[in-house]
Amino acid sequence: MSAFLNKPLVIIDGEFTSLDPLKQEVIEIGAIKIDQRTMTILDRFEEKIIPAHIERADPDSLRVNGYTADSWQDAIPMKDAFTKLAAFVGNERATFGGWNVTLDWTFIAMAFRECEIENPFDYHVFDIRSVA
């Protein structure tokens, strides 16, 4: 079996304040870690993130992702969320997966860089939408 399949697959679902990663931000991350050989779910992750610039958010994006100040009361700072996400992914250089993988990957990679946290993912990505 290839070394690629020995790495976990982490499916990410990000919620953002709009679809422009250069102007907007991640406000929620959901993830599941999967054993690629057996497709068994190994672990789950979810964190809401305190938006730094909610005033720049697209109202339609906030409506779609369900953002309200009340529902984000327990949100944590972005650096804390990405520190926890890196720990969740672990040091196995997991494969990054998602439904719209290019969008999620761009936001997530930029957030790791902004937080000065090493991106724990392998360079391989898996776009679920392309095989659905």
CSV table of all heavy atoms in Angstrom, one decimal, residues 44-95:
chain,number,residue,atom,x,y,z
A,44,ARG,N,-12.9,14.0,15.5
A,44,ARG,CA,-13.7,15.1,15.0
A,44,ARG,C,-13.2,16.4,15.7
A,44,ARG,O,-12.7,16.4,16.8
A,44,ARG,CB,-15.2,15.0,15.3
A,44,ARG,CG,-15.8,13.8,14.7
A,44,ARG,CD,-17.2,13.5,15.3
A,44,ARG,NE,-17.7,12.2,14.9
A,44,ARG,CZ,-18.4,11.9,13.8
A,44,ARG,NH1,-18.7,12.9,13.0
A,44,ARG,NH2,-18.8,10.7,13.5
A,45,PHE,N,-13.4,17.5,15.0
A,45,PHE,CA,-12.9,18.8,15.5
A,45,PHE,C,-13.9,19.9,15.1
A,45,PHE,O,-14.4,19.9,13.9
A,45,PHE,CB,-11.5,19.1,14.8
A,45,PHE,CG,-10.9,20.4,15.2
A,45,PHE,CD1,-10.1,20.6,16.3
A,45,PHE,CD2,-11.2,21.6,14.4
A,45,PHE,CE1,-9.6,21.8,16.7
A,45,PHE,CE2,-10.7,22.8,14.8
A,45,PHE,CZ,-9.8,22.9,15.9
A,46,GLU,N,-14.1,20.8,16.0
A,46,GLU,CA,-15.0,22.0,15.6
A,46,GLU,C,-14.6,23.1,16.5
A,46,GLU,O,-14.5,23.0,17.8
A,46,GLU,CB,-16.5,21.7,15.8
A,46,GLU,CG,-17.3,22.8,15.4
A,46,GLU,CD,-18.8,22.5,15.5
A,46,GLU,OE1,-19.2,21.4,15.8
A,46,GLU,OE2,-19.6,23.4,15.3
A,47,GLU,N,-14.4,24.3,15.9
A,47,GLU,CA,-14.1,25.5,16.7
A,47,GLU,C,-14.7,26.7,16.0
A,47,GLU,O,-14.6,26.9,14.8
A,47,GLU,CB,-12.6,25.8,16.9
A,47,GLU,CG,-11.9,25.0,17.9
A,47,GLU,CD,-12.4,25.2,19.3
A,47,GLU,OE1,-13.0,26.3,19.6
A,47,GLU,OE2,-12.1,24.4,20.2
A,48,LYS,N,-15.4,27.6,16.7
A,48,LYS,CA,-15.8,28.9,16.2
A,48,LYS,C,-14.7,29.9,16.6
A,48,LYS,O,-14.1,29.8,17.7
A,48,LYS,CB,-17.1,29.3,16.9
A,48,LYS,CG,-18.3,28.4,16.3
A,48,LYS,CD,-19.6,28.8,16.9
A,48,LYS,CE,-20.7,28.0,16.3
A,48,LYS,NZ,-22.0,28.3,16.8
A,49,ILE,N,-14.5,30.8,15.7
A,49,ILE,CA,-13.4,31.8,15.8
A,49,ILE,C,-13.9,33.2,15.9
A,49,ILE,O,-14.8,33.6,15.2
A,49,ILE,CB,-12.4,31.6,14.6
A,49,ILE,CG1,-11.8,30.2,14.6
A,49,ILE,CG2,-11.3,32.7,14.7
A,49,ILE,CD1,-11.1,29.9,13.3
A,50,ILE,N,-13.4,33.9,16.9
A,50,ILE,CA,-13.8,35.3,17.0
A,50,ILE,C,-13.4,36.1,15.8
A,50,ILE,O,-12.2,36.1,15.4
A,50,ILE,CB,-13.1,36.0,18.3
A,50,ILE,CG1,-13.5,35.2,19.5
A,50,ILE,CG2,-13.4,37.4,18.4
A,50,ILE,CD1,-12.6,35.6,20.8
A,51,PRO,N,-14.3,36.7,15.1
A,51,PRO,CA,-14.0,37.5,13.9
A,51,PRO,C,-13.3,38.8,14.3
A,51,PRO,O,-13.7,39.5,15.2
A,51,PRO,CB,-15.3,37.8,13.2
A,51,PRO,CG,-16.3,37.5,14.2
A,51,PRO,CD,-15.8,36.6,15.3
A,52,ALA,N,-12.1,39.1,13.7
A,52,ALA,CA,-11.4,40.3,14.0
A,52,ALA,C,-12.0,41.5,13.4
A,52,ALA,O,-11.9,42.6,13.9
A,52,ALA,CB,-9.9,40.1,13.6
A,53,HIS,N,-12.7,41.3,12.2
A,53,HIS,CA,-13.2,42.4,11.5
A,53,HIS,C,-14.6,42.1,10.9
A,53,HIS,O,-14.8,42.1,9.7
A,53,HIS,CB,-12.3,42.8,10.3
A,53,HIS,CG,-10.9,43.2,10.7
A,53,HIS,ND1,-10.7,44.4,11.3
A,53,HIS,CD2,-9.7,42.6,10.8
A,53,HIS,CE1,-9.4,44.6,11.6
A,53,HIS,NE2,-8.8,43.4,11.3
A,54,ILE,N,-15.5,41.9,11.9
A,54,ILE,CA,-16.9,41.5,11.5
A,54,ILE,C,-17.5,42.6,10.6
A,54,ILE,O,-18.4,42.3,9.8
A,54,ILE,CB,-17.7,41.1,12.7
A,54,ILE,CG1,-19.0,40.4,12.3
A,54,ILE,CG2,-18.1,42.4,13.5
A,54,ILE,CD1,-18.7,39.0,11.7
A,55,GLU,N,-17.0,43.8,10.8
A,55,GLU,CA,-17.6,44.9,10.0
A,55,GLU,C,-17.3,44.8,8.5
A,55,GLU,O,-18.0,45.4,7.7
A,55,GLU,CB,-17.1,46.3,10.5
A,55,GLU,CG,-15.6,46.6,10.2
A,55,GLU,CD,-14.6,45.9,11.1
A,55,GLU,OE1,-15.0,45.1,12.0
A,55,GLU,OE2,-13.4,46.1,10.8
A,56,ARG,N,-16.4,44.0,8.1
A,56,ARG,CA,-16.0,43.8,6.7
A,56,ARG,C,-16.8,42.6,6.1
A,56,ARG,O,-16.6,42.3,4.9
A,56,ARG,CB,-14.5,43.6,6.5
A,56,ARG,CG,-13.8,44.9,6.9
A,56,ARG,CD,-12.3,44.8,6.5
A,56,ARG,NE,-11.6,43.6,6.9
A,56,ARG,CZ,-10.3,43.5,7.2
A,56,ARG,NH1,-9.6,44.6,7.2
A,56,ARG,NH2,-9.8,42.4,7.5
A,57,ALA,N,-17.5,41.9,6.9
A,57,ALA,CA,-18.1,40.7,6.5
A,57,ALA,C,-19.3,40.9,5.5
A,57,ALA,O,-19.9,42.0,5.6
A,57,ALA,CB,-18.7,39.9,7.7
A,58,ASP,N,-19.4,40.0,4.6
A,58,ASP,CA,-20.5,40.0,3.7
A,58,ASP,C,-21.8,39.5,4.4
A,58,ASP,O,-21.8,38.3,4.9
A,58,ASP,CB,-20.2,39.1,2.5
A,58,ASP,CG,-21.4,39.0,1.5
A,58,ASP,OD1,-22.1,40.0,1.2
A,58,ASP,OD2,-21.6,37.9,1.0
A,59,PRO,N,-22.9,40.3,4.5
A,59,PRO,CA,-24.1,39.8,5.2
A,59,PRO,C,-24.6,38.5,4.7
A,59,PRO,O,-25.1,37.7,5.4
A,59,PRO,CB,-25.1,41.0,5.0
A,59,PRO,CG,-24.2,42.2,4.7
A,59,PRO,CD,-23.0,41.6,4.0
A,60,ASP,N,-24.5,38.3,3.4
A,60,ASP,CA,-25.0,37.0,2.8
A,60,ASP,C,-24.2,35.8,3.3
A,60,ASP,O,-24.7,34.8,3.6
A,60,ASP,CB,-25.0,37.0,1.3
A,60,ASP,CG,-26.1,37.9,0.7
A,60,ASP,OD1,-27.1,38.1,1.4
A,60,ASP,OD2,-25.9,38.4,-0.4
A,61,SER,N,-22.9,36.0,3.4
A,61,SER,CA,-22.0,34.9,3.9
A,61,SER,C,-22.4,34.6,5.4
A,61,SER,O,-22.4,33.5,5.8
A,61,SER,CB,-20.5,35.3,3.8
A,61,SER,OG,-20.2,35.4,2.5
A,62,LEU,N,-22.6,35.7,6.2
A,62,LEU,CA,-22.9,35.5,7.6
A,62,LEU,C,-24.3,34.8,7.7
A,62,LEU,O,-24.4,33.9,8.6
A,62,LEU,CB,-23.0,36.8,8.3
A,62,LEU,CG,-21.6,37.6,8.4
A,62,LEU,CD1,-21.8,38.9,9.2
A,62,LEU,CD2,-20.6,36.7,9.0
A,63,ARG,N,-25.2,35.1,6.9
A,63,ARG,CA,-26.5,34.4,6.9
A,63,ARG,C,-26.3,32.9,6.5
A,63,ARG,O,-26.9,32.1,7.2
A,63,ARG,CB,-27.5,35.1,5.9
A,63,ARG,CG,-28.9,34.5,5.9
A,63,ARG,CD,-29.8,35.2,4.9
A,63,ARG,NE,-29.2,35.3,3.5
A,63,ARG,CZ,-29.0,34.3,2.7
A,63,ARG,NH1,-29.3,33.1,3.0
A,63,ARG,NH2,-28.4,34.5,1.5
A,64,VAL,N,-25.6,32.6,5.5
A,64,VAL,CA,-25.4,31.2,5.1
A,64,VAL,C,-24.7,30.4,6.2
A,64,VAL,O,-25.1,29.3,6.4
A,64,VAL,CB,-24.5,31.2,3.8
A,64,VAL,CG1,-24.0,29.8,3.5
A,64,VAL,CG2,-25.3,31.7,2.6
A,65,ASN,N,-23.7,31.0,6.9
A,65,ASN,CA,-23.0,30.2,7.9
A,65,ASN,C,-23.6,30.3,9.3
A,65,ASN,O,-23.1,29.7,10.2
A,65,ASN,CB,-21.5,30.5,7.9
A,65,ASN,CG,-21.1,31.9,8.2
A,65,ASN,OD1,-21.7,32.5,9.1
A,65,ASN,ND2,-20.2,32.5,7.5
A,66,GLY,N,-24.7,31.1,9.4
A,66,GLY,CA,-25.4,31.1,10.7
A,66,GLY,C,-24.8,32.0,11.7
A,66,GLY,O,-25.1,31.8,12.9
A,67,TYR,N,-23.9,32.9,11.3
A,67,TYR,CA,-23.2,33.7,12.3
A,67,TYR,C,-24.2,34.7,13.0
A,67,TYR,O,-25.0,35.4,12.3
A,67,TYR,CB,-22.1,34.6,11.7
A,67,TYR,CG,-21.5,35.5,12.7
A,67,TYR,CD1,-20.5,35.1,13.5
A,67,TYR,CD2,-22.0,36.8,12.8
A,67,TYR,CE1,-20.0,36.0,14.4
A,67,TYR,CE2,-21.5,37.7,13.8
A,67,TYR,CZ,-20.5,37.3,14.6
A,67,TYR,OH,-19.9,38.1,15.5
A,68,THR,N,-24.2,34.7,14.3
A,68,THR,CA,-24.8,35.8,15.1
A,68,THR,C,-23.9,36.0,16.3
A,68,THR,O,-23.1,35.1,16.7
A,68,THR,CB,-26.2,35.4,15.7
A,68,THR,OG1,-26.1,34.3,16.6
A,68,THR,CG2,-27.2,35.1,14.5
A,69,ALA,N,-23.9,37.2,16.9
A,69,ALA,CA,-23.0,37.4,18.0
A,69,ALA,C,-23.3,36.5,19.1
A,69,ALA,O,-22.4,36.0,19.8
A,69,ALA,CB,-23.2,38.9,18.5
A,70,ASP,N,-24.6,36.1,19.3
A,70,ASP,CA,-25.0,35.2,20.4
A,70,ASP,C,-24.4,33.8,20.1
A,70,ASP,O,-23.9,33.1,21.1
A,70,ASP,CB,-26.5,35.2,20.6
A,70,ASP,CG,-27.1,36.4,21.2
A,70,ASP,OD1,-26.3,37.2,21.9
A,70,ASP,OD2,-28.3,36.6,21.1
A,71,SER,N,-24.5,33.3,18.9
A,71,SER,CA,-24.1,32.0,18.6
A,71,SER,C,-22.6,31.8,18.6
A,71,SER,O,-22.0,30.7,18.6
A,71,SER,CB,-24.7,31.5,17.3
A,71,SER,OG,-24.3,32.3,16.2
A,72,TRP,N,-21.9,32.9,18.6
A,72,TRP,CA,-20.4,32.9,18.6
A,72,TRP,C,-19.8,33.4,20.0
A,72,TRP,O,-18.7,33.7,20.1
A,72,TRP,CB,-19.8,33.8,17.5
A,72,TRP,CG,-19.3,33.0,16.3
A,72,TRP,CD1,-18.0,32.9,16.0
A,72,TRP,CD2,-20.0,32.3,15.3
A,72,TRP,NE1,-17.8,32.1,14.9
A,72,TRP,CE2,-19.1,31.8,14.5
A,72,TRP,CE3,-21.4,32.1,15.1
A,72,TRP,CZ2,-19.4,31.0,13.4
A,72,TRP,CZ3,-21.7,31.3,14.0
A,72,TRP,CH2,-20.8,30.8,13.2
A,73,GLN,N,-20.7,33.3,21.0
A,73,GLN,CA,-20.2,33.8,22.4
A,73,GLN,C,-19.0,33.0,22.9
A,73,GLN,O,-18.2,33.5,23.6
A,73,GLN,CB,-21.4,33.6,23.4
A,73,GLN,CG,-22.3,34.8,23.3
A,73,GLN,CD,-23.4,34.6,24.4
A,73,GLN,OE1,-23.6,33.6,25.0
A,73,GLN,NE2,-24.0,35.8,24.7
A,74,ASP,N,-19.0,31.7,22.5
A,74,ASP,CA,-17.9,30.8,23.0
A,74,ASP,C,-16.7,30.7,22.0
A,74,ASP,O,-15.9,29.8,22.2
A,74,ASP,CB,-18.4,29.4,23.4
A,74,ASP,CG,-19.4,29.5,24.5
A,74,ASP,OD1,-19.3,30.3,25.4
A,74,ASP,OD2,-20.4,28.6,24.5
A,75,ALA,N,-16.7,31.5,21.0
A,75,ALA,CA,-15.7,31.5,20.0
A,75,ALA,C,-14.3,31.9,20.7
A,75,ALA,O,-14.3,32.5,21.7
A,75,ALA,CB,-16.0,32.5,18.9
A,76,ILE,N,-13.3,31.4,20.0
A,76,ILE,CA,-11.9,31.6,20.6
A,76,ILE,C,-11.1,32.4,19.5
A,76,ILE,O,-11.4,32.4,18.4
A,76,ILE,CB,-11.2,30.3,20.9
A,76,ILE,CG1,-11.0,29.4,19.7
A,76,ILE,CG2,-12.0,29.5,22.0
A,76,ILE,CD1,-10.2,28.1,20.0
A,77,PRO,N,-10.0,33.0,20.0
A,77,PRO,CA,-9.1,33.7,19.0
A,77,PRO,C,-8.6,32.8,17.9
A,77,PRO,O,-8.4,31.6,18.1
A,77,PRO,CB,-8.0,34.2,19.9
A,77,PRO,CG,-8.5,34.3,21.3
A,77,PRO,CD,-9.5,33.1,21.4
A,78,MET,N,-8.3,33.4,16.7
A,78,MET,CA,-7.9,32.6,15.6
A,78,MET,C,-6.6,31.8,15.9
A,78,MET,O,-6.5,30.6,15.6
A,78,MET,CB,-7.7,33.5,14.4
A,78,MET,CG,-7.3,32.7,13.1
A,78,MET,SD,-7.3,33.7,11.6
A,78,MET,CE,-5.8,34.6,11.8
A,79,LYS,N,-5.6,32.4,16.5
A,79,LYS,CA,-4.4,31.7,16.8
A,79,LYS,C,-4.6,30.5,17.7
A,79,LYS,O,-4.0,29.4,17.5
A,79,LYS,CB,-3.3,32.6,17.5
A,79,LYS,CG,-2.0,31.9,17.6
A,79,LYS,CD,-0.9,32.8,17.8
A,79,LYS,CE,0.4,32.1,17.8
A,79,LYS,NZ,1.6,32.9,17.5
A,80,ASP,N,-5.5,30.6,18.7
A,80,ASP,CA,-5.8,29.4,19.5
A,80,ASP,C,-6.5,28.3,18.7
A,80,ASP,O,-6.2,27.2,18.9
A,80,ASP,CB,-6.7,29.9,20.7
A,80,ASP,CG,-6.1,30.8,21.7
A,80,ASP,OD1,-4.8,31.0,21.6
A,80,ASP,OD2,-6.8,31.4,22.5
A,81,ALA,N,-7.4,28.7,17.8
A,81,ALA,CA,-8.2,27.7,17.0
A,81,ALA,C,-7.2,27.0,16.1
A,81,ALA,O,-7.3,25.8,16.0
A,81,ALA,CB,-9.3,28.4,16.2
A,82,PHE,N,-6.3,27.7,15.5
A,82,PHE,CA,-5.3,27.1,14.6
A,82,PHE,C,-4.2,26.3,15.3
A,82,PHE,O,-3.8,25.3,14.7
A,82,PHE,CB,-4.8,28.1,13.5
A,82,PHE,CG,-5.8,28.3,12.4
A,82,PHE,CD1,-6.8,29.2,12.5
A,82,PHE,CD2,-5.7,27.5,11.3
A,82,PHE,CE1,-7.8,29.3,11.5
A,82,PHE,CE2,-6.6,27.6,10.2
A,82,PHE,CZ,-7.6,28.5,10.4
A,83,THR,N,-3.9,26.7,16.5
A,83,THR,CA,-3.0,25.8,17.3
A,83,THR,C,-3.7,24.5,17.6
A,83,THR,O,-3.1,23.4,17.5
A,83,THR,CB,-2.7,26.6,18.6
A,83,THR,OG1,-2.0,27.8,18.3
A,83,THR,CG2,-1.8,25.7,19.5
A,84,LYS,N,-5.0,24.6,18.0
A,84,LYS,CA,-5.8,23.4,18.3
A,84,LYS,C,-5.9,22.5,17.0
A,84,LYS,O,-5.9,21.3,17.0
A,84,LYS,CB,-7.1,23.7,18.9
A,84,LYS,CG,-7.0,24.3,20.3
A,84,LYS,CD,-8.3,24.8,20.8
A,84,LYS,CE,-9.0,23.8,21.6
A,84,LYS,NZ,-10.3,24.4,22.2
A,85,LEU,N,-6.2,23.2,15.8
A,85,LEU,CA,-6.3,22.4,14.6
A,85,LEU,C,-5.0,21.7,14.2
A,85,LEU,O,-5.0,20.6,13.8
A,85,LEU,CB,-6.8,23.4,13.5
A,85,LEU,CG,-6.9,22.7,12.1
A,85,LEU,CD1,-8.0,21.6,12.1
A,85,LEU,CD2,-7.3,23.7,11.0
A,86,ALA,N,-3.9,22.4,14.4
A,86,ALA,CA,-2.6,21.8,14.1
A,86,ALA,C,-2.4,20.5,15.0
A,86,ALA,O,-1.9,19.5,14.5
A,86,ALA,CB,-1.5,22.8,14.3
A,87,ALA,N,-2.8,20.6,16.3
A,87,ALA,CA,-2.6,19.5,17.2
A,87,ALA,C,-3.6,18.4,16.8
A,87,ALA,O,-3.2,17.2,16.8
A,87,ALA,CB,-2.9,19.9,18.6
A,88,PHE,N,-4.8,18.7,16.3
A,88,PHE,CA,-5.7,17.7,15.9
A,88,PHE,C,-5.2,17.0,14.6
A,88,PHE,O,-5.3,15.8,14.6
A,88,PHE,CB,-7.1,18.4,15.5
A,88,PHE,CG,-8.0,17.6,14.8
A,88,PHE,CD1,-8.8,16.7,15.5
A,88,PHE,CD2,-8.2,17.7,13.4
A,88,PHE,CE1,-9.8,15.9,14.8
A,88,PHE,CE2,-9.1,16.9,12.7
A,88,PHE,CZ,-9.9,16.0,13.4
A,89,VAL,N,-4.6,17.7,13.7
A,89,VAL,CA,-4.1,17.1,12.5
A,89,VAL,C,-2.9,16.2,12.8
A,89,VAL,O,-2.7,15.1,12.3
A,89,VAL,CB,-3.7,18.2,11.4
A,89,VAL,CG1,-2.9,17.6,10.3
A,89,VAL,CG2,-4.9,19.0,11.0
A,90,GLY,N,-2.1,16.7,13.8
A,90,GLY,CA,-0.9,15.9,14.2
A,90,GLY,C,0.3,16.0,13.3
A,90,GLY,O,0.3,16.9,12.4
A,91,ASN,N,1.3,15.2,13.5
A,91,ASN,CA,2.5,15.3,12.8
A,91,ASN,C,2.7,14.3,11.7
A,91,ASN,O,3.8,14.0,11.2
A,91,ASN,CB,3.7,15.3,13.7
A,91,ASN,CG,3.8,14.0,14.5
A,91,ASN,OD1,3.0,13.1,14.3
A,91,ASN,ND2,4.7,13.9,15.4
A,92,GLU,N,1.5,13.8,11.2
A,92,GLU,CA,1.6,12.7,10.2
A,92,GLU,C,1.5,13.3,8.8
A,92,GLU,O,1.4,12.5,7.8
A,92,GLU,CB,0.4,11.7,10.4
A,92,GLU,CG,0.5,11.1,11.8
A,92,GLU,CD,-0.8,10.3,12.1
A,92,GLU,OE1,-1.8,11.0,12.5
A,92,GLU,OE2,-0.8,9.1,11.9
A,93,ARG,N,1.5,14.6,8.6
A,93,ARG,CA,1.3,15.3,7.3
A,93,ARG,C,0.1,14.8,6.6
A,93,ARG,O,0.1,14.3,5.5
A,93,ARG,CB,2.6,15.1,6.5
A,93,ARG,CG,3.9,15.6,7.1
A,93,ARG,CD,3.9,17.0,7.5
A,93,ARG,NE,3.8,18.0,6.4
A,93,ARG,CZ,3.8,19.3,6.6
A,93,ARG,NH1,3.8,19.8,7.8
A,93,ARG,NH2,3.7,20.1,5.5
A,94,ALA,N,-1.1,14.9,7.2
A,94,ALA,CA,-2.3,14.4,6.7
A,94,ALA,C,-2.7,15.1,5.4
A,94,ALA,O,-2.2,16.2,5.1
A,94,ALA,CB,-3.5,14.7,7.7
A,95,THR,N,-3.5,14.4,4.6
A,95,THR,CA,-4.0,14.9,3.3
A,95,THR,C,-5.2,15.8,3.7
A,95,THR,O,-6.0,15.4,4.4
A,95,THR,CB,-4.4,13.7,2.4
A,95,THR,OG1,-3.3,12.9,2.2
A,95,THR,CG2,-5.0,14.3,1.1
